[in-house]
PDB file of all heavy atoms in Angstrom:
ATOM      1  N   ALA A   1      47.912  79.835 -14.177  1.00 77.00           N
ATOM      2  CA  ALA A   1      49.188  79.198 -14.473  1.00 77.00           C
ATOM      3  C   ALA A   1      48.979  77.694 -14.485  1.00 77.00           C
ATOM      4  O   ALA A   1      47.928  77.194 -14.096  1.00 77.00           O
ATOM      5  CB  ALA A   1      50.220  79.602 -13.427  1.00 77.00           C
ATOM      6  N   HIS A   2      49.989  76.969 -14.936  1.00 90.00           N
ATOM      7  CA  HIS A   2      49.906  75.527 -15.044  1.00 90.00           C
ATOM      8  C   HIS A   2      50.917  74.869 -14.130  1.00 90.00           C
ATOM      9  O   HIS A   2      51.916  75.477 -13.743  1.00 90.00           O
ATOM     10  CB  HIS A   2      50.174  75.083 -16.482  1.00 90.00           C
ATOM     11  CG  HIS A   2      49.255  75.700 -17.492  1.00 90.00           C
ATOM     12  ND1 HIS A   2      49.656  75.995 -18.780  1.00 90.00           N
ATOM     13  CD2 HIS A   2      47.969  76.085 -17.401  1.00 90.00           C
ATOM     14  CE1 HIS A   2      48.633  76.531 -19.445  1.00 90.00           C
ATOM     15  NE2 HIS A   2      47.617  76.598 -18.625  1.00 90.00           N
ATOM     16  N   VAL A   3      50.671  73.605 -13.799  1.00 96.00           N
ATOM     17  CA  VAL A   3      51.691  72.815 -13.135  1.00 96.00           C
ATOM     18  C   VAL A   3      52.817  72.600 -14.143  1.00 96.00           C
ATOM     19  O   VAL A   3      52.576  72.225 -15.287  1.00 96.00           O
ATOM     20  CB  VAL A   3      51.131  71.459 -12.668  1.00 96.00           C
ATOM     21  CG1 VAL A   3      52.254  70.574 -12.138  1.00 96.00           C
ATOM     22  CG2 VAL A   3      50.071  71.656 -11.595  1.00 96.00           C
ATOM     23  N   SER A   4      54.043  72.870 -13.739  1.00 96.00           N
ATOM     24  CA  SER A   4      55.176  72.805 -14.662  1.00 96.00           C
ATOM     25  C   SER A   4      56.352  72.114 -13.998  1.00 96.00           C
ATOM     26  O   SER A   4      56.364  71.877 -12.785  1.00 96.00           O
ATOM     27  CB  SER A   4      55.579  74.214 -15.121  1.00 96.00           C
ATOM     28  OG  SER A   4      55.946  75.010 -14.001  1.00 96.00           O
ATOM     29  N   VAL A   5      57.369  71.797 -14.812  1.00 97.00           N
ATOM     30  CA  VAL A   5      58.586  71.184 -14.294  1.00 97.00           C
ATOM     31  C   VAL A   5      59.777  71.853 -14.964  1.00 97.00           C
ATOM     32  O   VAL A   5      59.742  72.151 -16.163  1.00 97.00           O
ATOM     33  CB  VAL A   5      58.604  69.656 -14.543  1.00 97.00           C
ATOM     34  CG1 VAL A   5      58.522  69.334 -16.026  1.00 97.00           C
ATOM     35  CG2 VAL A   5      59.840  69.013 -13.921  1.00 97.00           C
ATOM     36  N   ALA A   6      60.823  72.106 -14.198  1.00 96.00           N
ATOM     37  CA  ALA A   6      62.033  72.740 -14.724  1.00 96.00           C
ATOM     38  C   ALA A   6      63.233  72.229 -13.942  1.00 96.00           C
ATOM     39  O   ALA A   6      63.140  71.940 -12.734  1.00 96.00           O
ATOM     40  CB  ALA A   6      61.945  74.258 -14.628  1.00 96.00           C
ATOM     41  N   ALA A   7      64.356  72.128 -14.618  1.00 96.00           N
ATOM     42  CA  ALA A   7      65.578  71.649 -13.977  1.00 96.00           C
ATOM     43  C   ALA A   7      66.281  72.778 -13.255  1.00 96.00           C
ATOM     44  O   ALA A   7      66.242  73.936 -13.675  1.00 96.00           O
ATOM     45  CB  ALA A   7      66.509  71.037 -15.016  1.00 96.00           C
ATOM     46  N   GLU A   8      66.928  72.448 -12.155  1.00 95.00           N
ATOM     47  CA  GLU A   8      67.783  73.404 -11.454  1.00 95.00           C
ATOM     48  C   GLU A   8      69.159  73.321 -12.114  1.00 95.00           C
ATOM     49  O   GLU A   8      70.031  72.584 -11.686  1.00 95.00           O
ATOM     50  CB  GLU A   8      67.862  73.070  -9.968  1.00 95.00           C
ATOM     51  CG  GLU A   8      66.542  73.191  -9.232  1.00 95.00           C
ATOM     52  CD  GLU A   8      66.690  72.900  -7.748  1.00 95.00           C
ATOM     53  OE1 GLU A   8      67.836  72.639  -7.305  1.00 95.00           O
ATOM     54  OE2 GLU A   8      65.680  72.935  -7.034  1.00 95.00           O
ATOM     55  N   GLY A   9      69.328  74.069 -13.168  1.00 90.00           N
ATOM     56  CA  GLY A   9      70.547  73.970 -13.951  1.00 90.00           C
ATOM     57  C   GLY A   9      70.227  73.285 -15.270  1.00 90.00           C
ATOM     58  O   GLY A   9      69.279  73.650 -15.953  1.00 90.00           O
ATOM     59  N   THR A  10      70.979  72.249 -15.607  1.00 90.00           N
ATOM     60  CA  THR A  10      70.800  71.557 -16.883  1.00 90.00           C
ATOM     61  C   THR A  10      70.409  70.101 -16.650  1.00 90.00           C
ATOM     62  O   THR A  10      71.000  69.427 -15.813  1.00 90.00           O
ATOM     63  CB  THR A  10      72.095  71.598 -17.712  1.00 90.00           C
ATOM     64  OG1 THR A  10      72.462  72.956 -17.942  1.00 90.00           O
ATOM     65  CG2 THR A  10      71.889  70.906 -19.059  1.00 90.00           C
ATOM     66  N   ALA A  11      69.416  69.640 -17.403  1.00 94.00           N
ATOM     67  CA  ALA A  11      69.024  68.233 -17.370  1.00 94.00           C
ATOM     68  C   ALA A  11      69.637  67.570 -18.599  1.00 94.00           C
ATOM     69  O   ALA A  11      69.063  67.586 -19.689  1.00 94.00           O
ATOM     70  CB  ALA A  11      67.507  68.104 -17.370  1.00 94.00           C
ATOM     71  N   ALA A  12      70.832  67.027 -18.444  1.00 94.00           N
ATOM     72  CA  ALA A  12      71.576  66.471 -19.577  1.00 94.00           C
ATOM     73  C   ALA A  12      71.271  64.993 -19.754  1.00 94.00           C
ATOM     74  O   ALA A  12      71.158  64.236 -18.782  1.00 94.00           O
ATOM     75  CB  ALA A  12      73.074  66.678 -19.381  1.00 94.00           C
ATOM     76  N   LYS A  13      71.170  64.586 -21.003  1.00 94.00           N
ATOM     77  CA  LYS A  13      70.909  63.189 -21.311  1.00 94.00           C
ATOM     78  C   LYS A  13      72.009  62.296 -20.732  1.00 94.00           C
ATOM     79  O   LYS A  13      73.192  62.616 -20.808  1.00 94.00           O
ATOM     80  CB  LYS A  13      70.845  62.989 -22.828  1.00 94.00           C
ATOM     81  CG  LYS A  13      69.719  63.756 -23.502  1.00 94.00           C
ATOM     82  CD  LYS A  13      69.758  63.563 -25.009  1.00 94.00           C
ATOM     83  CE  LYS A  13      68.652  64.350 -25.695  1.00 94.00           C
ATOM     84  NZ  LYS A  13      68.672  64.185 -27.170  1.00 94.00           N
ATOM     85  N   GLY A  14      71.593  61.186 -20.141  1.00 92.00           N
ATOM     86  CA  GLY A  14      72.546  60.249 -19.585  1.00 92.00           C
ATOM     87  C   GLY A  14      73.066  60.621 -18.214  1.00 92.00           C
ATOM     88  O   GLY A  14      73.878  59.896 -17.643  1.00 92.00           O
ATOM     89  N   GLY A  15      72.600  61.737 -17.670  1.00 93.00           N
ATOM     90  CA  GLY A  15      73.097  62.180 -16.376  1.00 93.00           C
ATOM     91  C   GLY A  15      72.005  62.270 -15.326  1.00 93.00           C
ATOM     92  O   GLY A  15      70.919  61.700 -15.462  1.00 93.00           O
ATOM     93  N   TYR A  16      72.297  63.005 -14.265  1.00 95.00           N
ATOM     94  CA  TYR A  16      71.356  63.224 -13.178  1.00 95.00           C
ATOM     95  C   TYR A  16      70.990  64.704 -13.127  1.00 95.00           C
ATOM     96  O   TYR A  16      71.745  65.562 -13.595  1.00 95.00           O
ATOM     97  CB  TYR A  16      71.964  62.815 -11.837  1.00 95.00           C
ATOM     98  CG  TYR A  16      72.094  61.325 -11.649  1.00 95.00           C
ATOM     99  CD1 TYR A  16      73.148  60.623 -12.234  1.00 95.00           C
ATOM    100  CD2 TYR A  16      71.173  60.618 -10.888  1.00 95.00           C
ATOM    101  CE1 TYR A  16      73.275  59.248 -12.074  1.00 95.00           C
ATOM    102  CE2 TYR A  16      71.290  59.242 -10.714  1.00 95.00           C
ATOM    103  CZ  TYR A  16      72.341  58.562 -11.316  1.00 95.00           C
ATOM    104  OH  TYR A  16      72.454  57.209 -11.154  1.00 95.00           O
ATOM    105  N   ALA A  17      69.856  65.002 -12.538  1.00 96.00           N
ATOM    106  CA  ALA A  17      69.430  66.393 -12.411  1.00 96.00           C
ATOM    107  C   ALA A  17      68.463  66.517 -11.250  1.00 96.00           C
ATOM    108  O   ALA A  17      67.769  65.555 -10.874  1.00 96.00           O
ATOM    109  CB  ALA A  17      68.770  66.884 -13.704  1.00 96.00           C
ATOM    110  N   VAL A  18      68.416  67.703 -10.687  1.00 97.00           N
ATOM    111  CA  VAL A  18      67.395  68.050  -9.697  1.00 97.00           C
ATOM    112  C   VAL A  18      66.367  68.911 -10.415  1.00 97.00           C
ATOM    113  O   VAL A  18      66.724  69.934 -11.012  1.00 97.00           O
ATOM    114  CB  VAL A  18      67.986  68.806  -8.493  1.00 97.00           C
ATOM    115  CG1 VAL A  18      66.864  69.250  -7.550  1.00 97.00           C
ATOM    116  CG2 VAL A  18      68.981  67.930  -7.750  1.00 97.00           C
ATOM    117  N   VAL A  19      65.119  68.483 -10.384  1.00 97.00           N
ATOM    118  CA  VAL A  19      64.062  69.227 -11.057  1.00 97.00           C
ATOM    119  C   VAL A  19      63.016  69.667 -10.039  1.00 97.00           C
ATOM    120  O   VAL A  19      62.864  69.047  -8.978  1.00 97.00           O
ATOM    121  CB  VAL A  19      63.393  68.395 -12.172  1.00 97.00           C
ATOM    122  CG1 VAL A  19      64.431  67.910 -13.177  1.00 97.00           C
ATOM    123  CG2 VAL A  19      62.624  67.211 -11.592  1.00 97.00           C
ATOM    124  N   ASP A  20      62.329  70.746 -10.356  1.00 98.00           N
ATOM    125  CA  ASP A  20      61.272  71.275  -9.486  1.00 98.00           C
ATOM    126  C   ASP A  20      59.930  71.173 -10.187  1.00 98.00           C
ATOM    127  O   ASP A  20      59.766  71.691 -11.295  1.00 98.00           O
ATOM    128  CB  ASP A  20      61.535  72.743  -9.141  1.00 98.00           C
ATOM    129  CG  ASP A  20      62.786  72.933  -8.310  1.00 98.00           C
ATOM    130  OD1 ASP A  20      63.067  72.051  -7.482  1.00 98.00           O
ATOM    131  OD2 ASP A  20      63.474  73.950  -8.494  1.00 98.00           O
ATOM    132  N   PHE A  21      58.976  70.526  -9.542  1.00 98.00           N
ATOM    133  CA  PHE A  21      57.601  70.545 -10.010  1.00 98.00           C
ATOM    134  C   PHE A  21      56.925  71.734  -9.318  1.00 98.00           C
ATOM    135  O   PHE A  21      56.787  71.754  -8.096  1.00 98.00           O
ATOM    136  CB  PHE A  21      56.885  69.240  -9.666  1.00 98.00           C
ATOM    137  CG  PHE A  21      57.385  68.060 -10.454  1.00 98.00           C
ATOM    138  CD1 PHE A  21      58.352  67.220  -9.917  1.00 98.00           C
ATOM    139  CD2 PHE A  21      56.921  67.813 -11.729  1.00 98.00           C
ATOM    140  CE1 PHE A  21      58.838  66.140 -10.638  1.00 98.00           C
ATOM    141  CE2 PHE A  21      57.395  66.735 -12.473  1.00 98.00           C
ATOM    142  CZ  PHE A  21      58.357  65.902 -11.923  1.00 98.00           C
ATOM    143  N   LYS A  22      56.549  72.720 -10.115  1.00 97.00           N
ATOM    144  CA  LYS A  22      55.963  73.947  -9.580  1.00 97.00           C
ATOM    145  C   LYS A  22      54.444  73.863  -9.667  1.00 97.00           C
ATOM    146  O   LYS A  22      53.885  73.711 -10.754  1.00 97.00           O
ATOM    147  CB  LYS A  22      56.478  75.155 -10.363  1.00 97.00           C
ATOM    148  CG  LYS A  22      55.965  76.495  -9.833  1.00 97.00           C
ATOM    149  CD  LYS A  22      56.552  77.637 -10.654  1.00 97.00           C
ATOM    150  CE  LYS A  22      56.025  78.983 -10.177  1.00 97.00           C
ATOM    151  NZ  LYS A  22      56.582  80.098 -10.996  1.00 97.00           N
ATOM    152  N   VAL A  23      53.782  73.973  -8.523  1.00 98.00           N
ATOM    153  CA  VAL A  23      52.323  73.820  -8.460  1.00 98.00           C
ATOM    154  C   VAL A  23      51.705  75.105  -7.922  1.00 98.00           C
ATOM    155  O   VAL A  23      51.837  75.416  -6.734  1.00 98.00           O
ATOM    156  CB  VAL A  23      51.935  72.628  -7.559  1.00 98.00           C
ATOM    157  CG1 VAL A  23      50.413  72.450  -7.541  1.00 98.00           C
ATOM    158  CG2 VAL A  23      52.621  71.358  -8.030  1.00 98.00           C
ATOM    159  N   PRO A  24      51.017  75.871  -8.758  1.00 97.00           N
ATOM    160  CA  PRO A  24      50.327  77.078  -8.288  1.00 97.00           C
ATOM    161  C   PRO A  24      48.911  76.749  -7.831  1.00 97.00           C
ATOM    162  O   PRO A  24      48.304  75.792  -8.317  1.00 97.00           O
ATOM    163  CB  PRO A  24      50.301  77.957  -9.544  1.00 97.00           C
ATOM    164  CG  PRO A  24      50.203  76.960 -10.667  1.00 97.00           C
ATOM    165  CD  PRO A  24      50.966  75.734 -10.225  1.00 97.00           C
ATOM    166  N   ASN A  25      48.409  77.519  -6.904  1.00 97.00           N
ATOM    167  CA  ASN A  25      47.006  77.372  -6.495  1.00 97.00           C
ATOM    168  C   ASN A  25      46.171  78.309  -7.356  1.00 97.00           C
ATOM    169  O   ASN A  25      46.334  79.526  -7.305  1.00 97.00           O
ATOM    170  CB  ASN A  25      46.831  77.720  -5.020  1.00 97.00           C
ATOM    171  CG  ASN A  25      45.449  77.346  -4.509  1.00 97.00           C
ATOM    172  OD1 ASN A  25      44.450  77.482  -5.218  1.00 97.00           O
ATOM    173  ND2 ASN A  25      45.382  76.890  -3.273  1.00 97.00           N
ATOM    174  N   GLU A  26      45.278  77.756  -8.160  1.00 92.00           N
ATOM    175  CA  GLU A  26      44.486  78.550  -9.098  1.00 92.00           C
ATOM    176  C   GLU A  26      43.087  78.865  -8.573  1.00 92.00           C
ATOM    177  O   GLU A  26      42.248  79.369  -9.311  1.00 92.00           O
ATOM    178  CB  GLU A  26      44.374  77.817 -10.432  1.00 92.00           C
ATOM    179  CG  GLU A  26      45.701  77.645 -11.131  1.00 92.00           C
ATOM    180  CD  GLU A  26      45.541  77.057 -12.521  1.00 92.00           C
ATOM    181  OE1 GLU A  26      44.743  76.122 -12.679  1.00 92.00           O
ATOM    182  OE2 GLU A  26      46.204  77.551 -13.447  1.00 92.00           O
ATOM    183  N   ARG A  27      42.826  78.563  -7.317  1.00 94.00           N
ATOM    184  CA  ARG A  27      41.506  78.813  -6.746  1.00 94.00           C
ATOM    185  C   ARG A  27      41.628  79.860  -5.637  1.00 94.00           C
ATOM    186  O   ARG A  27      42.627  79.924  -4.939  1.00 94.00           O
ATOM    187  CB  ARG A  27      40.905  77.523  -6.196  1.00 94.00           C
ATOM    188  CG  ARG A  27      40.758  76.414  -7.235  1.00 94.00           C
ATOM    189  CD  ARG A  27      39.750  76.782  -8.308  1.00 94.00           C
ATOM    190  NE  ARG A  27      39.623  75.721  -9.304  1.00 94.00           N
ATOM    191  CZ  ARG A  27      40.263  75.713 -10.465  1.00 94.00           C
ATOM    192  NH1 ARG A  27      41.107  76.704 -10.774  1.00 94.00           N
ATOM    193  NH2 ARG A  27      40.082  74.730 -11.324  1.00 94.00           N
ATOM    194  N   ASP A  28      40.581  80.667  -5.494  1.00 94.00           N
ATOM    195  CA  ASP A  28      40.602  81.689  -4.446  1.00 94.00           C
ATOM    196  C   ASP A  28      39.800  81.280  -3.219  1.00 94.00           C
ATOM    197  O   ASP A  28      39.674  82.047  -2.267  1.00 94.00           O
ATOM    198  CB  ASP A  28      40.081  83.029  -4.992  1.00 94.00           C
ATOM    199  CG  ASP A  28      38.677  82.913  -5.571  1.00 94.00           C
ATOM    200  OD1 ASP A  28      38.053  81.832  -5.426  1.00 94.00           O
ATOM    201  OD2 ASP A  28      38.202  83.897  -6.160  1.00 94.00           O
ATOM    202  N   ASN A  29      39.267  80.049  -3.234  1.00 94.00           N
ATOM    203  CA  ASN A  29      38.449  79.610  -2.105  1.00 94.00           C
ATOM    204  C   ASN A  29      38.800  78.196  -1.642  1.00 94.00           C
ATOM    205  O   ASN A  29      38.009  77.552  -0.945  1.00 94.00           O
ATOM    206  CB  ASN A  29      36.962  79.669  -2.481  1.00 94.00           C
ATOM    207  CG  ASN A  29      36.628  78.800  -3.691  1.00 94.00           C
ATOM    208  OD1 ASN A  29      37.536  78.281  -4.339  1.00 94.00           O
ATOM    209  ND2 ASN A  29      35.351  78.653  -3.984  1.00 94.00           N
ATOM    210  N   ALA A  30      39.960  77.699  -2.046  1.00 96.00           N
ATOM    211  CA  ALA A  30      40.363  76.349  -1.647  1.00 96.00           C
ATOM    212  C   ALA A  30      41.877  76.231  -1.673  1.00 96.00           C
ATOM    213  O   ALA A  30      42.564  76.970  -2.385  1.00 96.00           O
ATOM    214  CB  ALA A  30      39.734  75.297  -2.570  1.00 96.00           C
ATOM    215  N   SER A  31      42.401  75.289  -0.883  1.00 97.00           N
ATOM    216  CA  SER A  31      43.844  75.044  -0.834  1.00 97.00           C
ATOM    217  C   SER A  31      44.168  73.703  -1.491  1.00 97.00           C
ATOM    218  O   SER A  31      43.373  72.757  -1.426  1.00 97.00           O
ATOM    219  CB  SER A  31      44.334  75.025   0.617  1.00 97.00           C
ATOM    220  OG  SER A  31      44.174  76.294   1.230  1.00 97.00           O
ATOM    221  N   THR A  32      45.350  73.635  -2.122  1.00 98.00           N
ATOM    222  CA  THR A  32      45.811  72.386  -2.704  1.00 98.00           C
ATOM    223  C   THR A  32      46.408  71.523  -1.601  1.00 98.00           C
ATOM    224  O   THR A  32      47.320  71.954  -0.904  1.00 98.00           O
ATOM    225  CB  THR A  32      46.869  72.639  -3.793  1.00 98.00           C
ATOM    226  OG1 THR A  32      46.275  73.377  -4.863  1.00 98.00           O
ATOM    227  CG2 THR A  32      47.424  71.330  -4.335  1.00 98.00           C
ATOM    228  N   THR A  33      45.898  70.306  -1.457  1.00 98.00           N
ATOM    229  CA  THR A  33      46.343  69.444  -0.363  1.00 98.00           C
ATOM    230  C   THR A  33      46.994  68.153  -0.849  1.00 98.00           C
ATOM    231  O   THR A  33      47.515  67.387  -0.038  1.00 98.00           O
ATOM    232  CB  THR A  33      45.159  69.091   0.549  1.00 98.00           C
ATOM    233  OG1 THR A  33      44.111  68.510  -0.244  1.00 98.00           O
ATOM    234  CG2 THR A  33      44.638  70.331   1.258  1.00 98.00           C
ATOM    235  N   LYS A  34      46.954  67.923  -2.169  1.00 98.00           N
ATOM    236  CA  LYS A  34      47.555  66.691  -2.686  1.00 98.00           C
ATOM    237  C   LYS A  34      48.038  66.906  -4.117  1.00 98.00           C
ATOM    238  O   LYS A  34      47.340  67.507  -4.927  1.00 98.00           O
ATOM    239  CB  LYS A  34      46.544  65.546  -2.645  1.00 98.00           C
ATOM    240  CG  LYS A  34      47.106  64.182  -3.009  1.00 98.00           C
ATOM    241  CD  LYS A  34      46.021  63.114  -2.874  1.00 98.00           C
ATOM    242  CE  LYS A  34      46.524  61.728  -3.207  1.00 98.00           C
ATOM    243  NZ  LYS A  34      45.453  60.704  -3.073  1.00 98.00           N
ATOM    244  N   VAL A  35      49.231  66.407  -4.399  1.00 98.00           N
ATOM    245  CA  VAL A  35      49.813  66.499  -5.743  1.00 98.00           C
ATOM    246  C   VAL A  35      50.383  65.134  -6.116  1.00 98.00           C
ATOM    247  O   VAL A  35      51.193  64.567  -5.378  1.00 98.00           O
ATOM    248  CB  VAL A  35      50.927  67.564  -5.806  1.00 98.00           C
ATOM    249  CG1 VAL A  35      51.571  67.575  -7.196  1.00 98.00           C
ATOM    250  CG2 VAL A  35      50.390  68.944  -5.459  1.00 98.00           C
ATOM    251  N   GLU A  36      49.932  64.598  -7.249  1.00 98.00           N
ATOM    252  CA  GLU A  36      50.425  63.313  -7.742  1.00 98.00           C
ATOM    253  C   GLU A  36      51.111  63.529  -9.092  1.00 98.00           C
ATOM    254  O   GLU A  36      50.524  64.109  -9.998  1.00 98.00           O
ATOM    255  CB  GLU A  36      49.275  62.320  -7.919  1.00 98.00           C
ATOM    256  CG  GLU A  36      48.498  62.055  -6.644  1.00 98.00           C
ATOM    257  CD  GLU A  36      47.229  61.269  -6.913  1.00 98.00           C
ATOM    258  OE1 GLU A  36      47.309  60.031  -7.062  1.00 98.00           O
ATOM    259  OE2 GLU A  36      46.161  61.898  -6.990  1.00 98.00           O
ATOM    260  N   VAL A  37      52.323  63.053  -9.214  1.00 98.00           N
ATOM    261  CA  VAL A  37      53.061  63.152 -10.474  1.00 98.00           C
ATOM    262  C   VAL A  37      53.391  61.748 -10.964  1.00 98.00           C
ATOM    263  O   VAL A  37      54.048  60.969 -10.261  1.00 98.00           O
ATOM    264  CB  VAL A  37      54.357  63.967 -10.306  1.00 98.00           C
ATOM    265  CG1 VAL A  37      55.160  63.964 -11.607  1.00 98.00           C
ATOM    266  CG2 VAL A  37      54.030  65.398  -9.905  1.00 98.00           C
ATOM    267  N   THR A  38      52.915  61.428 -12.172  1.00 97.00           N
ATOM    268  CA  THR A  38      53.172  60.127 -12.775  1.00 97.00           C
ATOM    269  C   THR A  38      54.404  60.216 -13.666  1.00 97.00           C
ATOM    270  O   THR A  38      54.523  61.133 -14.486  1.00 97.00           O
ATOM    271  CB  THR A  38      51.964  59.677 -13.614  1.00 97.00           C
ATOM    272  OG1 THR A  38      50.822  59.569 -12.758  1.00 97.00           O
ATOM    273  CG2 THR A  38      52.238  58.319 -14.248  1.00 97.00           C
ATOM    274  N   PHE A  39      55.317  59.275 -13.514  1.00 96.00           N
ATOM    275  CA  PHE A  39      56.574  59.284 -14.268  1.00 96.00           C
ATOM    276  C   PHE A  39      56.426  58.449 -15.543  1.00 96.00           C
ATOM    277  O   PHE A  39      55.669  57.482 -15.582  1.00 96.00           O
ATOM    278  CB  PHE A  39      57.709  58.765 -13.391  1.00 96.00           C
ATOM    279  CG  PHE A  39      58.151  59.758 -12.353  1.00 96.00           C
ATOM    280  CD1 PHE A  39      57.339  60.073 -11.279  1.00 96.00           C
ATOM    281  CD2 PHE A  39      59.364  60.416 -12.478  1.00 96.00           C
ATOM    282  CE1 PHE A  39      57.719  61.013 -10.344  1.00 96.00           C
ATOM    283  CE2 PHE A  39      59.767  61.358 -11.538  1.00 96.00           C
ATOM    284  CZ  PHE A  39      58.936  61.665 -10.475  1.00 96.00           C
ATOM    285  N   PRO A  40      57.137  58.856 -16.603  1.00 92.00           N
ATOM    286  CA  PRO A  40      56.975  58.192 -17.902  1.00 92.00           C
ATOM    287  C   PRO A  40      57.389  56.722 -17.860  1.00 92.00           C
ATOM    288  O   PRO A  40      58.438  56.385 -17.313  1.00 92.00           O
ATOM    289  CB  PRO A  40      57.874  59.010 -18.836  1.00 92.00           C
ATOM    290  CG  PRO A  40      58.870  59.666 -17.929  1.00 92.00           C
ATOM    291  CD  PRO A  40      58.141  59.935 -16.654  1.00 92.00           C
ATOM    292  N   THR A  41      56.555  55.872 -18.467  1.00 85.00           N
ATOM    293  CA  THR A  41      56.866  54.441 -18.518  1.00 85.00           C
ATOM    294  C   THR A  41      57.684  54.092 -19.760  1.00 85.00           C
ATOM    295  O   THR A  41      58.350  53.055 -19.781  1.00 85.00           O
ATOM    296  CB  THR A  41      55.569  53.618 -18.518  1.00 85.00           C
ATOM    297  OG1 THR A  41      54.742  54.041 -19.622  1.00 85.00           O
ATOM    298  CG2 THR A  41      54.804  53.827 -17.221  1.00 85.00           C
ATOM    299  N   ASP A  42      57.621  54.965 -20.790  1.00 87.00           N
ATOM    300  CA  ASP A  42      58.398  54.683 -21.995  1.00 87.00           C
ATOM    301  C   ASP A  42      59.875  55.004 -21.803  1.00 87.00           C
ATOM    302  O   ASP A  42      60.734  54.509 -22.536  1.00 87.00           O
ATOM    303  CB  ASP A  42      57.838  55.452 -23.195  1.00 87.00           C
ATOM    304  CG  ASP A  42      57.726  56.945 -22.931  1.00 87.00           C
ATOM    305  OD1 ASP A  42      57.788  57.355 -21.744  1.00 87.00           O
ATOM    306  OD2 ASP A  42      57.568  57.706 -23.899  1.00 87.00           O
ATOM    307  N   HIS A  43      60.191  55.856 -20.819  1.00 90.00           N
ATOM    308  CA  HIS A  43      61.576  56.170 -20.472  1.00 90.00           C
ATOM    309  C   HIS A  43      61.693  56.130 -18.942  1.00 90.00           C
ATOM    310  O   HIS A  43      61.782  57.172 -18.286  1.00 90.00           O
ATOM    311  CB  HIS A  43      61.992  57.544 -21.001  1.00 90.00           C
ATOM    312  CG  HIS A  43      61.995  57.632 -22.488  1.00 90.00           C
ATOM    313  ND1 HIS A  43      60.948  58.155 -23.197  1.00 90.00           N
ATOM    314  CD2 HIS A  43      62.918  57.237 -23.416  1.00 90.00           C
ATOM    315  CE1 HIS A  43      61.222  58.099 -24.491  1.00 90.00           C
ATOM    316  NE2 HIS A  43      62.400  57.540 -24.650  1.00 90.00           N
ATOM    317  N   PRO A  44      61.681  54.943 -18.358  1.00 89.00           N
ATOM    318  CA  PRO A  44      61.677  54.821 -16.897  1.00 89.00           C
ATOM    319  C   PRO A  44      62.947  55.350 -16.248  1.00 89.00           C
ATOM    320  O   PRO A  44      64.031  55.311 -16.840  1.00 89.00           O
ATOM    321  CB  PRO A  44      61.525  53.309 -16.677  1.00 89.00           C
ATOM    322  CG  PRO A  44      62.058  52.691 -17.930  1.00 89.00           C
ATOM    323  CD  PRO A  44      61.707  53.639 -19.030  1.00 89.00           C
ATOM    324  N   LEU A  45      62.798  55.831 -15.031  1.00 90.00           N
ATOM    325  CA  LEU A  45      63.912  56.380 -14.265  1.00 90.00           C
ATOM    326  C   LEU A  45      64.142  55.500 -13.036  1.00 90.00           C
ATOM    327  O   LEU A  45      63.243  55.307 -12.216  1.00 90.00           O
ATOM    328  CB  LEU A  45      63.609  57.819 -13.836  1.00 90.00           C
ATOM    329  CG  LEU A  45      63.373  58.798 -14.992  1.00 90.00           C
ATOM    330  CD1 LEU A  45      62.833  60.119 -14.453  1.00 90.00           C
ATOM    331  CD2 LEU A  45      64.660  59.033 -15.769  1.00 90.00           C
ATOM    332  N   ALA A  46      65.346  54.964 -12.919  1.00 84.00           N
ATOM    333  CA  ALA A  46      65.642  54.040 -11.826  1.00 84.00           C
ATOM    334  C   ALA A  46      65.823  54.763 -10.498  1.00 84.00           C
ATOM    335  O   ALA A  46      65.523  54.220  -9.434  1.00 84.00           O
ATOM    336  CB  ALA A  46      66.893  53.236 -12.156  1.00 84.00           C
TER     337      ALA A  46
END
């Protein structure tokens, strides 16, 4: 699976939303200990 993002409900333009970044562990011999998400600079979020 891939790291993905989805809104809890609707992510409407001009509004606010709660989104979930879903991170699966794709390894059978290691644990995920760090996740970094870079936010878009062409459409910054205050």
Side-chain angles (χ1 to χ4, degrees):
H2 303 147
V3 173
S4 60
V5 60
E8 296 182 2
T10 301
K13 297 177 181 180
Y16 288 80
V18 175
V19 304
D20 295 325
F21 290 96
K22 182 179 178 181
V23 182
N25 190 323
E26 296 186 317
R27 302 294 180 263
D28 57 7
N29 59 351
S31 295
T32 297
T33 55
K34 187 178 181 180
V35 177
E36 301 170 80
V37 176
T38 299
F39 285 70
T41 56
D42 54 344
H43 296 97
L45 300 170

